[in-house]
Amino acid sequence: MINYLFDVDGTLTPSRKPMVLDFKTYFKFWLRTQQSSGNKVYLVTGSDKDKTIEQVGEEIWKTVDGSYQNAGNQLFVNGDLVFESDWEMPKDLESVALDLIGQSGWDGTADNNIEKRVGMVNISTIGRDCTDKQRADYYEWDKENLERETIADVINSNFEDIEAVIGGEISIDIYPKGKDKSQILGCLEGKNIFFGDNCYLGGNDYTISEAAYEKYHVADWTQTRDILAVIDKIREIELEPVK
Ligand code: M1P
């Protein structure tokens, strides 16, 4: 049995946007085909339930075998909450995060610099309420200036029980050590195949992609779509009777 595990932002959808309609239709078909072959399909995102539903739609969210939200710190199956972490951001961590945000040249652009999620926290110097244009500008600027890498390093060297990693395009995901996306692998039986766009060292998909049986490090959702089409083709060939 194979477990297909998908990150959402940048892997199934453009960052923070809904799935593109054609791909959504195809993915629903692909998902049901895999399930009828005895395989399982899961979402494994850093995001919360509401944003995931907004992006992939309620049908996919409920049809997958499970949706791991907030880096595996909360699980929904068929729309029902199965478990969630009760971790909360320690006060000393929050005050260091606020200092680091205040020191950034991007502070003041938009609100929502510290987003407390279930079992984790997501911080961004630019602020999560930024416009799409500001998001794109920050992402390019950060590639040159490595602000998020520097902030993650400061947090990691000051808090031994905490892990800070680069989130999607504008933020840093923070959780207790080990409570990253890789924590879900211990709950699954079978071969785990992971699709993610942040599988590089220091990215929020790194640990799970390294621990999975196989990984696809995609540049964006179009690559995911193309890989799924190849997987389909291989399956068709395997099912064809040998002449
Ligand atoms: O809002 C959901 C996403 O938030 C972060 O990404 P970004 O920096 O692009 O906003 C990350 O936590 C990502 O994992 C998550 O899906």
Side-chain angles (χ1 to χ4, degrees):
M1 183 184 71
I2 298 175
N3 301 309
Y4 289 102
L5 315 173
F6 294 92
D7 167 52
V8 175
D9 281 280
T11 300
L12 289 180
T13 75
S15 273
R16 286 302 304 117
K17 298 280 176 209
M19 249 173 141
V20 169
L21 210 57
D22 280 2
F23 180 47
K24 189 172 178 178
T25 308
Y26 174 67
F27 189 75
K28 281 184 205 167
F29 156 81
W30 188 89
L31 157 62
R32 290 192 191 276
T33 312
Q34 289 301 329
Q35 288 175 327
S36 55
S37 314
N39 294 326
K40 296 198 167 173
V41 181
Y42 295 89
L43 303 178
V44 192
T45 170
S47 194
D48 62 35
K49 163 195 156 210
D50 292 346
K51 289 195 207 92
T52 305
I53 295 175
E54 196 183 288
Q55 288 174 273
V56 306
E58 192 152 349
E59 188 183 339
I60 290 180
W61 186 71
K62 282 191 172 167
T63 306
V64 289
D65 295 275
S67 186
Y68 288 98
Q69 310 292 153
N70 308 302
N73 288 298
Q74 192 181 39
L75 169 65
F76 289 89
V77 175
N78 196 17
D80 296 327
L81 177 65
V82 173
F83 74 77
E84 65 182 5
S85 151
D86 59 4
W87 181 83
E88 282 183 16
M89 186 183 205
K91 286 273 164 281
D92 52 348
L93 174 59
E94 185 160 354
S95 103
V96 168
L98 283 170
D99 283 349
L100 290 165
I101 291 164
Q103 286 159 22
S104 162
W106 284 86
D107 180 35
T109 305
D111 287 338
N112 203 1
N113 300 93
I114 297 190
E115 184 171 88
K116 293 178 180 168
R117 302 178 180 171
V118 173
M120 64 171 283
V121 66
N122 177 272
I123 66 166
S124 56
T125 58
I126 181 169
R128 298 202 62 73
D129 297 347
C130 60
T131 63
D132 290 351
K133 164 88 173 66
Q134 288 167 340
R135 170 181 271 271
D137 288 349
Y138 178 84
Y139 184 46
E140 288 310 315
W141 177 84
D142 186 54
K143 279 186 200 163
E144 296 287 314
N145 292 277
L146 306 179
E147 178 184 69
R148 292 187 295 162
E149 196 177 310
T150 310
I151 291 180
D153 283 349
V154 172
I155 293 174
N156 287 328
S157 48
N158 281 286
F159 296 88
E160 59 174 22
D161 300 336
I162 295 290
E163 198 177 335
V165 292
I166 292 174
E169 293 180 334
I170 58 159
S171 62
I172 296 155
D173 285 341
I174 305 175
Y175 19 67
K177 243 186 198 139
K179 296 297 180 186
D180 54 67
K181 291 184 182 183
S182 70
Q183 66 181 305
I184 74 148
L185 298 178
C187 315
L188 303 175
E189 279 173 18
K191 287 180 179 167
N192 297 310
I193 301 188
F194 179 76
F195 290 72
D197 66 329
N198 277 339
C199 301
Y200 52 83
L201 181 64
N204 63 356
D205 293 329
Y206 178 73
T207 50
I208 186 167
S209 64
E210 287 298 300
Y213 172 77
E214 205 171 310
K215 69 168 172 200
Y216 290 102
H217 185 177
V218 298
D220 57 26
W221 68 270
T222 64
Q223 275 194 357
T224 306
R225 178 199 57 199
D226 296 347
I227 294 163
L228 297 189
V230 172
I231 292 176
D232 254 358
K233 194 77 211 148
I234 293 170
R235 188 175 162 274
E236 268 173 39
I237 295 168
E238 281 170 355
L239 291 175
E240 262 175 36
V242 184
K243 289 174 191 145

